Amino acid sequence: MIDGKKVLLSGMQSTGIITLGNYLGALKNWVDLNDDESVQCFYAVMDLHSITVRQDPATLRKNGRTLYALYIAAGLDPEKNCLFFQSHVPAHAQLAWILNCYTYMGEMSRMTQFKDKSAKHADNINTGLFTYPVLMAADILLYQADMVPVGKDQLQHLEIARDIAGRFNGIYGDVFTIPEAYMGKSGAKIMSLQDPTKKMSKSDENPNGSILLLDDTDTIMRKFKRAITDSDGFIAYSEDKPGIKNLIDIYDAVTGNTPEQTVAEFDGKGYGDFKMAVGEAVASTLKPVQDEYARLIADKTYLDSMMKENAAKASYYANKTLRKVYKKVGFIELPR
Ligand code: AQP
């Protein structure tokens, strides 16, 4: 709790320009919490996590700044929310080391994301990829977060964070708040436009699979035009029609429709017309975010000052927890 408010923590990796999936599944829901006075939200650009997969330094720098500006452009108020870079708060790495010593190899070996990512990046199965959930536990526990919005893919990692916190508290007394999964408005899971059985990802090798938040209208329309559907020729909301189902989910997420309303709206229409309508709805939703982004990214002074202010604010809370942990573990405090 901070000033009587529950604490919520989340973030995104700066591994690319975020996708429509990141926006509809996470960022848009965070923005909806802006005016909720009962919660103090921390949102990080998770750049430490990003390097578990090899990144080009200049691109990582650019993606980090872009993501930070997109957080604000999408509507996150940097005065109300704490918007910061994970690497600007060294306590994340410091606590992660300590928690590593309270986490078992067996626990990490069971993580499905490790299995998936190491299969995908077989040439770079580094120990950071293996201990990623420990860093995520540190991210959460440093801020004594009560709530963590997670998709199904991250539930296993949150469970580990809870286990580590419980284990640490069991030895040293109440140090960490045990975080709960936050199920806000159900964030749609958006699938790739080229393979609707796979989630839309910012690091997808196929550029046509993902709508990026900074794609211009022509690119958005072209990607939707090429979206993989099926050969049935009719619009229905069914698991047997994953391509069309995904387009309906996207359309509903931006228009507020229910699947039934969308199916009725496009009754008798062809896939071509439907794809165009989805493309137009998405492009007009993203346009104001893109315009605001263009304004912000040109304002270096403002972005830099927000970064500094918010890093200091995050560090204040993070260091408070870290000091407590150091003391409990038995480290000697630096004499004043
Ligand atoms: N396709 C998606 N649909 C709905 N929500 C999604 N999220 C990601 N993809 C979708 C949500 O976005 C948040 C941030 O995710 P992340 O950047 O930490 O990493 P990720 O989940 O691995 O996202 P990507 O885009 O797939 O990144 P890469 O390509 O680097 O692995 C999370 O809340 C996530 O649920």
Side-chain angles (χ1 to χ4, degrees):
M1 292 282 232
I2 291 178
D3 300 335
K5 295 179 180 185
K6 288 207 164 191
V7 175
L8 180 145
L9 177 123
S10 200
M12 290 185 187
Q13 298 185 72
S14 44
T15 41
I17 296 180
I18 55 170
T19 70
L20 185 64
N22 300 128
Y23 179 69
L24 296 177
L27 186 48
K28 191 163 169 273
N29 300 321
W30 301 351
V31 173
D32 289 342
L33 283 170
N34 251 345
D35 296 322
D36 189 335
E37 296 293 337
S38 68
V39 210
Q40 173 61 57
C41 299
F42 290 83
Y43 299 113
V45 170
M46 299 293 188
D47 48 3
L48 297 181
H49 282 289
S50 302
I51 63 164
T52 53
V53 172
R54 192 76 71 234
Q55 304 292 325
D56 167 62
T59 311
L60 183 65
R61 247 187 309 270
K62 186 156 187 268
N63 286 338
R65 190 168 265 276
T66 298
L67 181 54
Y68 194 80
L70 275 174
Y71 278 178
I72 304 175
L76 287 180
D77 182 342
E79 307 284 345
K80 286 186 182 166
N81 304 284
C82 186
L83 308 181
F84 65 102
F85 284 76
Q86 193 184 21
S87 63
H88 289 169
V89 183
H92 287 253
Q94 292 169 299
L95 182 61
W97 169 253
I98 293 173
L99 298 183
N100 261 313
C101 303
Y102 295 80
T103 308
Y104 298 109
M105 296 289 286
E107 287 176 307
M108 294 293 97
S109 312
R110 287 195 293 276
M111 297 294 108
T112 50
Q113 180 176 290
F114 171 69
K115 291 182 199 164
D116 292 351
K117 286 213 169 172
S118 48
K120 206 166 148 195
H121 304 281
D123 55 335
N124 181 21
I125 306 177
N126 58 72
T127 48
L129 201 56
F130 188 67
T131 58
Y132 180 109
V134 181
L135 178 57
M136 180 167 153
D139 302 334
I140 298 167
L141 302 179
L142 266 183
Y143 300 93
Q144 307 289 355
D146 299 280
M147 303 182 288
V148 183
V150 275
K152 276 197 192 127
D153 53 332
Q154 291 291 341
L155 264 180
Q156 215 186 13
H157 292 166
L158 180 63
E159 249 343 286
I160 282 285
R162 290 166 52 88
D163 290 348
I164 298 172
R167 186 172 304 146
F168 200 92
N169 286 354
I171 305 171
Y172 301 107
D174 273 349
V175 178
F176 296 124
T177 301
I178 310 285
E180 304 278 344
Y182 173 73
M183 305 287 179
K185 268 197 239 157
S186 68
K189 184 167 181 193
I190 306 301
M191 311 309 279
S192 158
L193 298 183
Q194 290 297 309
D195 177 0
T197 61
K198 241 178 57 186
K199 78 166 184 159
M200 186 180 282
S201 249
K202 58 179 111 64
S203 57
D204 193 339
E205 280 149 22
N206 185 344
N208 290 321
S210 306
I211 301 291
L212 305 183
L213 241 65
L214 297 179
D215 280 346
D216 60 27
T217 300
D218 286 351
T219 308
I220 293 173
M221 298 307 286
R222 181 171 45 76
K223 288 182 178 176
F224 275 109
K225 216 183 264 179
R226 290 188 185 168
I228 301 291
T229 50
D230 52 53
S231 52
D232 301 344
F234 61 91
I235 291 159
Y237 192 72
S238 155
E239 297 292 342
D240 299 334
K241 294 165 70 66
I244 291 294
K245 178 177 176 293
N246 188 37
L247 293 179
I248 295 175
D249 281 336
I250 294 173
Y251 192 70
D252 290 353
V254 295
T255 59
N257 268 8
T258 62
E260 295 72 31
Q261 285 170 324
T262 300
V263 170
E265 188 179 334
F266 292 93
D267 183 32
K269 298 238 170 73
Y271 288 173
D273 288 345
F274 181 46
K275 286 177 179 179
M276 286 302 93
V278 182
E280 280 161 17
V282 167
S284 66
T285 299
L286 296 187
K287 185 75 173 57
V289 178
Q290 294 174 346
D291 290 346
E292 181 60 4
Y293 169 81
R295 193 185 70 76
L296 282 167
I297 203 70
D299 193 346
K300 186 169 181 304
T301 313
Y302 172 74
L303 283 181
D304 285 356
S305 74
M306 285 301 116
M307 275 180 212
K308 270 208 261 188
E309 233 173 71
N310 279 277
K313 185 170 169 190
S315 295
Y316 170 79
Y317 292 108
N319 288 333
K320 218 160 123 175
T321 301
L322 191 69
R323 275 198 301 275
K324 201 166 166 186
V325 169
Y326 270 31
K327 210 166 163 180
K328 293 282 184 186
V329 168
F331 295 157
I332 294 172
E333 215 178 322
L334 184 66
R336 285 168 196 264

